[in-house]
Amino acid sequence: MEDYKFLFKVVLVGNAGVGKTCLVRRFTQGLFPPGQGATIGVDFMIKTVEVDGEKVKLQIWDTAGQERFRSITQSYYRSAHALILVYDISCQPTFDCLPDWLREIEEYASSKVLRILVGNKIDREDREIPVHVGEDFASRHNMYFLETSAKEADNVEKLFMKIAEDLMQQARSKDLLRYDKDTANITGKTSVITDSNCCSRLT
Amino acid sequence: MKAASAPSYRMPEPAFTLRTTVSYIEKKRKRRVAKEIVTGCCGCCNALRPRYKRLVDNIFPVNPQDGLVKSNMEKLTFYSLSSPEKLDRIGEYFYQKASRDIYRRRHGFVIIAMEAMDQLLVACHAQTLNLFVESYLKMVQKLLESTEPKLQILATQSFVKFANIEEDTPSYHRRYDFFVSKFSAMCHSNEDRPYMRNQIRLAGIQGLEAVVRKTVSDDLVENIWEPVHMDKIVPSLLFNMQESGFHMKEVGSVEAAPEDELDPPTLAESCLRELVGKASFGHIKAVLKPVLRHFDLHELWCPNQFAVHTFRIIIFSIQAQYSYTVVESLMAHLDENSKSSPEIRTSIADVLSKIIAIAAGESVGPSVLEIINSLLCHLRDSVKNGINQAEEKQYQDALINALGEFANHLPDYQKIEIMMFIMSKIPFPPKVNQTPADNLLQSILLKSLLKVGTKYQTIHFNTTFPVSFLEPLLRMSLAPDPEMRLLVQKILHTLIDRHNNLEKLSKATVLVSDLDLVLEKSSRPDLIFINKHGPVIYDALYTSLQIETNSVENIEAIYTTVSLLCVELASAEVVIDIIQLLLGIQNLAITNTSLSASQAYNLHVLVISVFELICVVFDLPSLQKYANKIIAARRKQDHFLLPEMLSHYPDNHYPNPKEPFVYLEQTAICDILREDGLDPSRLSQTSPYGAGGPGAIAGTSQRHSWSETNARGSVVDIGTTQDVDSESSSPGVQKKLPEEKLTFEHMKRVLTEPPEARKEAEAEKREELNNFFRTATLAEIMQRTKPKHEDLQTKLQEIFKSLSSSEVHRSPTHQKKVEQEIPVYEQNFPEMFAY
Ligand SMILES: Nc1nc2c(ncn2[C@@H]2O[C@H](COP(=O)(O)OP(=O)(O)O)[C@@H](O)[C@H]2O)c(=O)[nH]1
Ligand SMILES: [Mg+2]
């Protein structure tokens, strides 16, 4: 039994193999999946969390990293409230691709989207990207930054909670309130934000 | 599950009973439903009599395996029908129960709840449906959000049923965004168990199909054509289709899948058909764009079976009047791929050629020329890209193929339009600094023209060859590039040949009766045509034969053209004209020292072959006897004077001009023609190509003036310029006596101006025109020359008038020339200028 006051859409992007699916599974199911196949197209998970005593539902869209699914994955950017851009701290090429990903985000996502840079797999010994390099990149591009390990469950909870908090803050800002009134007018109901339509219009 | 309280069979209780239960509800709330959604502060608590909850609770069995309690379900249905205002609360309650059951993984109850909601949905009256739909959809979404494939599939099936219900007043704030997103994700399921994966994908496709059906008729509910939806739906369908590989099978071997066994590819395909079929003009692009993008990203152009398969589906499903949009989009996509490998472009062009025919039937007016124009532009770009690459050439062939396929399915009148349009795009005359790319472009455009020409079936020559088409074509038949000249002849062949004689006349032969030619008496319009335009055509052929770069193919092609003209336009007049032409050609072979030995031989072979053809076609027994004598003599004295045409002859072997009895003789022919009942008087007049018989060079200069005033004079200044150009760019074109290149402009000056002034002005004018023609488009040239032509007629008249009134002032030579030419002008000019 659950209900929620806020619904936010979170989309994960980044090269194939950086651990997007593992991050999502760790967060939504509390497990580190052994050898699952690569994501194709998009995958979908849901998790409801509590922020300041309010239920917040996170719709998490996990995308395939491969180029060939780009057209379908990009179509999910637009309605995203938050975009998590993931790279693998033990794999330089996944970091080198970040500018390309940013370009795509610029092109297809809302300009107001919350952007988070995540360096995953910090449990690994063979780090190639120092923390400060990731941090620098994030601050240069006006993103949050966090390093995680889906395997060890490091910072995964924190990552999504941070997003939920931040989006809730945003949602409580004036823009949203004005929007709520509109909803009330259309539906003739209360100002409870319950379904996806309100949020897709937020963007 | 809580025990079912005693069912009440009474109809809705009066209001006071409701009030008495409020406290009971409050308690219940605190105890069990504390987390229920707060539906607002409207103060409607007094309506919350739990009867509906009890009715809902009662449909659930103790054991989920037992399924829905049917009798209680009937009670619930009856209740909700009689109290439709309760529907939203019933729905909400179901939703809450199901949410809880999902959370506790009691899937059996979830399934029962969904089933009950389905039944209520169907039972509801249209007007009251809206009250229920909101919570119903929340329920479906809830199930779709679960990680359990079974529930996702169940929810989809329920949604499909919902989509089939017609709603009177759809709720305009309802959004299907989540459903499209989720169903698309399901279409890409990567579930480990193959069977389950298939089921989830199948459900995803069915869900998408349902959303489309639900929304397509009403943009206000949800504009399903928005890119945000189409960019999900279309790739999801294609992704499932491409996995099947059934498009790879041979066309004949495609076995229809068993009807009841739905598989994702088949379903995705039918869904795509439906989607495309429903798209209106404004929406078609929204479907096509993601299709093209998908093919790019999934690298599905090479090999292109799947692309062809998909685009066939699209073009067959699309509303016919929009089919050209598909062509347009593919062409725009070629543009976008201008930097891609030629293989990819070839594949796209090939797809285009495979569907363009279907579009052609529906294309009208400007869209036709747009498509042609776009194809020509791509050809031009390809030429710029690379001249020597084999791959690029394949791409060009694919484009030309597409062009041909397209033209093939247009009505004939449009084919002529297209041919003229292509003609207008051919850069001609050649530039002074013509590059190989320019040459290639010209010949590629001519190839396109040829392709369209082969799809066209001539009925009357005057419709096939409007002057504005014939005239530039003949000009191009004199192009410096032998390849191009050959193409022009081939275009003439396909357009002239109406009785499938082309194949039979492709090789010079004197065994005409073996050819089994198909003959038909020519019609009056045809004879009028050849009377009008014959001289220009013959002259172009004659002039073309003088070009030193001619290969045996060039000469043989001209043989074919002349032969086809004979066969298609049989008349007494044509006989005389062609014999005259043959005598001219023979003279050329004998006297023109700049021709090679093999060219001279080839010309002689051409002459005797056509001559023999005339005898057979026109049934002239005496003339045939004469022809046979010559053939016999040739066989004895120099068999190289007989077919076939060779490209090499033994060293130091030349036709001997002194040899008796092996050449046609004008006087002999005149006599014999009379025997066969033809009037040879025109033949005995001075030939436009020279005096006729061997060694009679005297008439050559006259022939030139004739030819200039006809073939080239007809375009006046264009002709002059072309001569200048061809002199500088191609030494092959014979221009021995520049003074003789007379146009009427010139003639008038000759007659009126002092020689010095004339020369100066002429040089100036040529310079100016040269510049003009180097830069102007053909359309501009036409524009420019058009008024001139009209002027010319007036000028001519003036000249003739002044000639007859003041002959005294003319020198004898001028006078003679003009007098001879008068009939020719009169005969030929008016039409030549009728653009
Ligand atoms: N050591 C380590 N491996 C991880 C971590 N996250 C994911 N992986 C591994 O990286 C591979 C790819 O993970 P996946 O989630 O499928 O990547 P995705 O393509 O971005 O979704 C898998 O073999 C995972 O086991 C992590 O935090 N630490
Ligand atoms: Mg993945």
Side-chain angles (χ1 to χ4, degrees):
Chain A
M1 210 19 248
E2 44 139 50
D3 231 300
Y4 50 90
K5 190 144 190 183
F6 296 93
L7 180 132
F8 299 120
K9 297 180 203 173
V10 180
V11 176
L12 284 95
V13 300
N15 283 20
V18 296
K20 298 181 294 296
T21 304
C22 287
L23 283 169
V24 175
R25 295 288 204 95
R26 168 60 77 192
F27 175 62
T28 58
Q29 300 175 322
L31 49 86
F32 182 70
Q36 89 281 9
T39 313
I40 53 178
V42 245
D43 212 346
F44 170 78
M45 287 283 173
I46 203 122
K47 170 121 175 170
T48 305
V49 297
E50 204 159 308
V51 180
D52 300 340
E54 304 272 22
K55 294 249 170 180
V56 176
K57 181 162 159 182
L58 296 177
Q59 256 185 22
I60 304 164
W61 301 91
D62 171 25
T63 66
Q66 289 121 303
E67 180 78 25
R68 65 197 177 108
F69 294 111
R70 217 44 64 80
S71 75
I72 181 132
T73 55
Q74 282 160 353
S75 72
Y76 285 79
Y77 294 8
R78 186 152 2 150
S79 57
H81 298 103
L83 268 162
I84 304 176
L85 176 49
V86 189
Y87 66 93
D88 177 349
I89 57 118
S90 65
C91 179
Q92 180 77 40
T94 68
F95 184 82
D96 296 340
C97 282
L98 294 181
D100 296 337
W101 287 107
L102 277 184
R103 221 168 299 129
E104 271 197 33
I105 293 169
E106 292 296 338
E107 190 174 350
Y108 296 98
S110 150
S111 57
K112 287 185 269 171
V113 69
L114 180 66
R115 298 181 303 176
I116 305 96
L117 183 65
V118 168
N120 188 36
K121 306 196 190 179
I122 47 169
D123 57 282
R124 289 183 65 128
E125 311 275 281
D126 54 345
R127 180 189 278 273
E128 288 185 2
I129 316 293
V131 183
H132 70 90
V133 173
E135 248 164 17
D136 279 358
F137 186 91
S139 67
R140 248 184 298 127
H141 294 95
N142 204 15
M143 305 165 88
Y144 283 113
F145 179 71
L146 209 61
E147 283 197 342
T148 59
S149 164
K151 191 174 176 192
E152 304 297 332
D154 266 358
N155 275 345
V156 178
E157 192 78 10
K158 185 176 168 190
L159 166 67
F160 287 96
M161 288 310 288
K162 182 95 187 79
I163 289 170
E165 284 162 20
D166 215 274
L167 287 174
M168 201 158 99
Q169 199 98 48
Q170 267 187 38
R172 283 179 162 152
S173 72
K174 259 189 180 163
D175 249 7
L176 187 68
L177 288 178
R178 201 187 50 214
Y179 169 72
D180 285 347
K181 264 184 244 139
D182 294 345
T183 321
N185 288 344
I186 296 170
T187 61
K189 283 194 172 180
T190 64
S191 62
V192 182
I193 304 162
T194 51
D195 66 46
S196 56
N197 67 326
C198 67
C199 295
S200 60
R201 287 209 221 151
L202 271 177
T203 58
Chain B
M1 226 44 257
K2 57 199 169 304
S5 47
S8 161
Y9 293 103
R10 279 185 296 161
M11 293 300 291
E13 287 122 318
F16 66 87
T17 351
L18 285 176
R19 285 217 179 90
T20 62
T21 56
V22 166
S23 61
Y24 164 75
I25 293 170
E26 291 299 272
K27 258 185 263 161
K28 233 186 165 180
R29 248 178 188 284
K30 278 185 189 129
R31 199 173 68 241
R32 294 197 296 115
V33 208
K35 287 173 183 175
E36 257 189 54
I37 184 164
V38 181
T39 44
C41 44
C42 51
C44 50
C45 300
N46 57 347
L48 279 178
R49 169 71 174 82
R51 181 167 163 66
Y52 75 89
K53 287 194 180 179
R54 269 185 287 126
L55 284 169
V56 169
D57 289 339
N58 287 345
I59 66 145
F60 292 94
V62 181
N63 247 328
Q65 294 94 301
D66 297 343
L68 192 67
V69 180
K70 286 214 171 65
S71 57
N72 289 346
M73 184 64 213
E74 273 164 34
K75 282 170 210 155
L76 176 63
T77 308
F78 184 65
Y79 174 78
S80 42
L81 283 178
S82 44
S83 322
E85 74 280 358
K86 296 272 166 50
L87 268 170
D88 60 337
R89 261 159 256 175
I90 293 172
E92 188 62 37
Y93 185 54
F94 263 120
Y95 169 71
Q96 283 162 21
K97 282 177 76 72
S99 295
R100 198 166 44 225
D101 288 334
I102 289 172
Y103 184 74
R104 295 176 186 161
R105 309 193 65 79
R106 297 192 302 201
H107 293 155
F109 290 117
V110 180
I111 293 166
I112 291 169
M114 195 73 246
E115 191 187 340
M117 282 189 101
D118 282 353
Q119 292 195 13
L120 282 182
L121 197 65
V122 178
C124 281
H125 293 302
Q127 306 96 297
T128 57
L129 194 64
N130 239 329
L131 298 168
F132 187 60
V133 168
E134 194 124 342
S135 45
Y136 164 80
L137 285 178
K138 259 168 80 179
M139 172 90 164
V140 174
Q141 173 160 355
K142 188 85 206 171
L143 265 63
L144 287 172
E145 284 171 358
S146 86
T147 47
E148 178 57 47
K150 253 196 331 209
L151 293 187
Q152 294 180 18
I153 292 167
L154 180 72
T156 311
Q157 284 162 352
S158 174
F159 184 83
V160 170
K161 281 177 223 151
F162 161 71
N164 286 329
I165 297 173
E166 284 213 19
E167 288 177 88
D168 280 357
T169 45
S171 164
Y172 290 125
H173 69 274
R174 198 186 297 154
R175 286 288 168 264
Y176 292 92
D177 187 73
F178 170 78
F179 295 101
V180 174
S181 299
K182 174 63 185 178
F183 290 140
S184 298
M186 285 165 73
C187 286
H188 291 86
S189 166
N190 203 16
E191 168 73 44
D192 294 336
R193 297 161 288 171
Y195 175 77
M196 203 32 106
R197 177 169 63 222
N198 230 30
Q199 294 303 302
I200 297 174
R201 288 189 182 182
L202 211 47
I205 300 164
Q206 284 166 328
L208 287 179
E209 192 178 35
V211 180
V212 171
R213 277 189 194 154
K214 189 74 197 161
T215 53
V216 78
S217 54
D218 194 346
D219 283 1
L220 287 173
V221 171
E222 177 83 79
N223 186 358
I224 199 68
W225 305 103
E226 288 285 332
V228 70
H229 298 314
M230 281 300 143
D231 289 351
K232 296 185 180 86
I233 296 172
V234 171
S236 300
L237 297 177
L238 291 174
F239 177 72
N240 279 280
M241 285 164 66
Q242 82 203 40
E243 300 258 292
S244 82
F246 101 89
H247 56 275
M248 304 290 194
K249 287 182 203 150
E250 297 280 297
V251 181
S253 73
V254 176
E255 295 274 318
E259 291 285 312
D260 47 335
E261 269 292 305
L262 268 184
D263 63 310
T266 314
L267 187 67
E269 191 178 308
S270 84
C271 188
L272 182 70
R273 282 180 202 278
E274 190 176 335
L275 186 69
V276 172
K278 281 180 175 153
S280 68
F281 184 70
H283 300 142
I284 251 325
K285 287 264 160 69
V287 179
L288 293 175
K289 247 182 97 181
V291 171
L292 293 167
R293 185 108 201 279
H294 185 87
F295 279 99
D296 288 346
L297 287 172
H298 286 253
E299 296 174 4
L300 292 169
W301 292 115
C302 287
N304 67 6
Q305 286 99 318
F306 181 60
V308 170
H309 178 74
T310 306
F311 275 90
R312 281 228 168 99
I313 288 174
I314 291 174
I315 201 96
F316 278 121
S317 319
I318 198 169
Q319 293 173 47
Q321 67 271 30
Y322 310 141
S323 52
Y324 94 97
T325 326
V326 184
V327 174
E328 208 176 59
S329 298
L330 267 175
M331 260 169 342
H333 200 64
L334 267 183
D335 274 341
E336 283 162 29
N337 275 277
S338 58
K339 299 275 185 297
S340 308
S341 74
E343 286 86 356
I344 288 183
R345 278 179 284 127
T346 305
S347 272
I348 299 175
D350 184 56
V351 174
L352 191 60
S353 73
K354 301 232 159 81
I355 59 147
I356 203 166
I358 304 153
E362 298 296 335
S363 299
V364 279
S367 63
V368 170
L369 284 189
E370 251 167 53
I371 288 169
I372 298 288
N373 193 30
S374 176
L375 283 169
L376 295 179
C377 285
H378 283 115
L379 277 172
R380 186 175 312 216
D381 291 345
S382 163
V383 168
K384 270 192 223 134
N385 271 344
I387 302 167
N388 297 318
Q389 298 167 21
E391 297 90 8
E392 201 64 41
K393 206 186 152 299
Q394 278 180 349
Y395 171 55
Q396 288 155 10
D397 288 346
L399 284 172
I400 293 174
N401 232 2
L403 189 69
E405 276 303 308
F406 184 63
N408 195 19
H409 290 79
L410 292 172
D412 268 359
Y413 76 91
Q414 283 197 325
K415 286 182 195 150
I416 299 175
E417 255 174 43
I418 288 171
M419 287 193 280
M420 290 174 60
F421 184 74
I422 298 175
M423 182 71 91
S424 75
K425 297 286 172 188
I426 302 177
F428 200 86
K431 297 187 222 149
V432 172
N433 52 349
Q434 181 100 344
T435 64
D438 294 329
N439 273 337
L440 185 67
L441 178 63
Q442 284 174 346
S443 77
I444 278 180
L445 290 174
L446 279 174
K447 270 184 203 155
S448 318
L449 190 56
L450 175 60
K451 191 84 183 186
V452 178
T454 54
K455 313 286 183 186
Y456 176 79
Q457 184 55 53
T458 294
I459 297 171
H460 292 302
F461 283 102
N462 53 345
T463 38
T464 308
F465 294 110
V467 176
S468 50
F469 178 60
L470 178 63
E471 202 260 347
L473 192 61
L474 291 179
R475 266 203 286 144
M476 281 178 220
S477 78
L478 305 177
D481 178 28
E483 181 75 19
M484 199 167 153
R485 294 199 299 275
L486 187 61
L487 280 169
V488 173
Q489 293 302 328
K490 285 184 176 167
I491 294 167
L492 286 170
H493 296 168
T494 184
L495 293 177
I496 295 173
D497 179 37
R498 289 178 293 194
H499 297 90
N500 284 323
N501 292 321
L502 176 53
E503 197 60 36
K504 301 165 190 164
L505 293 171
S506 62
K507 288 263 166 250
T509 177
V510 289
L511 305 171
V512 178
S513 30
D514 295 350
L515 292 178
D516 201 19
L517 294 169
V518 180
L519 301 172
E520 194 185 13
K521 204 172 173 329
S522 38
S523 67
R524 239 187 83 76
D526 288 345
L527 294 179
I528 292 170
F529 170 84
I530 198 68
N531 271 348
K532 273 186 199 165
H533 303 301
V536 212
I537 298 171
Y538 303 143
D539 184 75
L541 297 173
Y542 177 77
T543 309
S544 186
L545 284 171
Q546 298 175 45
I547 301 174
E548 288 164 17
T549 51
N550 278 340
S551 66
V552 61
E553 282 87 14
N554 288 111
I555 295 173
E556 198 136 45
I558 294 174
Y559 152 80
T560 307
T561 308
V562 179
S563 303
L564 286 169
L565 282 172
C566 282
V567 172
E568 291 291 340
L569 293 159
S571 80
E573 232 164 300
V574 172
V575 175
I576 305 293
D577 285 344
I578 290 188
I579 292 176
Q580 198 165 42
L581 172 65
L582 292 179
L583 290 169
I585 295 171
Q586 177 176 275
N587 188 33
L588 197 63
I590 293 169
T591 58
N592 191 326
T593 48
S594 50
L595 295 179
S596 70
S598 61
Q599 285 169 333
Y601 271 120
N602 292 162
L603 291 188
H604 284 300
V605 173
L606 181 155
V607 168
I608 193 66
S609 305
V610 176
F611 192 69
E612 176 69 20
L613 180 78
I614 290 176
C615 300
V616 174
V617 169
F618 294 89
D619 191 21
L620 304 167
S622 314
L623 199 66
Q624 181 153 24
K625 231 180 275 162
Y626 176 70
N628 288 343
K629 243 165 52 193
I630 292 174
I631 291 168
R634 287 188 177 190
R635 195 165 288 134
K636 211 154 76 201
Q637 281 156 55
D638 186 352
H639 69 276
F640 289 121
L641 290 169
L642 291 171
E644 62 196 287
M645 290 188 191
L646 307 175
S647 48
H648 293 291
Y649 288 84
D651 285 343
N652 300 323
H653 212 77
Y654 279 90
N656 180 0
K658 297 278 171 357
E659 198 79 65
F661 310 122
V662 299
Y663 301 115
L664 309 188
E665 277 192 65
Q666 186 194 346
T667 41
I669 292 171
C670 282
D671 292 344
I672 297 164
L673 280 176
R674 215 169 274 118
E675 277 175 42
D676 278 330
L678 287 174
D679 175 13
S681 52
R682 274 194 315 124
L683 198 56
S684 45
Q685 282 166 11
T686 316
S687 163
Y689 312 99
I697 317 164
T700 316
S701 65
Q702 275 164 3
R703 180 261 145 196
H704 265 287
S705 58
W706 187 94
S707 120
E708 296 301 336
T709 49
N710 278 279
R712 282 176 224 112
S714 65
V715 281
V716 197
D717 289 322
I718 295 177
T720 325
T721 322
Q722 185 207 332
D723 290 343
V724 173
D725 277 343
S726 40
E727 262 171 342
S728 53
S729 60
S730 158
V733 183
Q734 292 269 298
K735 290 297 165 245
K736 285 182 197 145
L737 303 165
E739 288 297 321
E740 287 177 359
K741 284 182 274 173
L742 285 184
T743 66
F744 290 102
E745 279 300 328
H746 292 134
M747 260 186 51
K748 193 187 159 202
R749 288 195 195 140
V750 171
L751 300 174
T752 54
E753 280 175 297
E756 290 309 316
R758 192 196 77 208
K759 268 187 187 151
E760 240 181 71
E762 204 167 88
E764 218 170 67
K765 181 138 190 161
R766 278 186 190 196
E767 184 56 35
E768 177 198 309
L769 276 165
N770 269 341
N771 285 335
F772 175 69
F773 282 110
R774 242 166 255 142
T775 53
T777 65
L778 192 67
E780 287 172 300
I781 294 171
M782 304 271 257
Q783 201 51 46
R784 181 186 167 121
T785 49
K786 185 179 167 177
K788 278 228 175 91
H789 296 154
E790 284 154 4
D791 273 354
L792 197 64
Q793 288 188 66
T794 2
K795 268 185 205 150
L796 268 176
Q797 245 127 52
E798 276 170 30
I799 295 171
F800 294 150
K801 241 184 254 153
S802 67
L803 276 176
S804 47
S805 62
S806 55
E807 251 174 83
V808 202
H809 301 294
R810 316 285 160 232
S811 72
T813 47
H814 279 151
Q815 185 191 332
K816 187 180 161 221
K817 204 178 268 176
V818 172
E819 273 173 353
Q820 282 172 350
E821 285 159 7
I822 287 172
V824 186
Y825 306 146
E826 285 179 346
Q827 190 186 339
N828 293 294
F829 272 90
E831 292 78 25
M832 289 307 294
F833 305 133
Y835 270 104

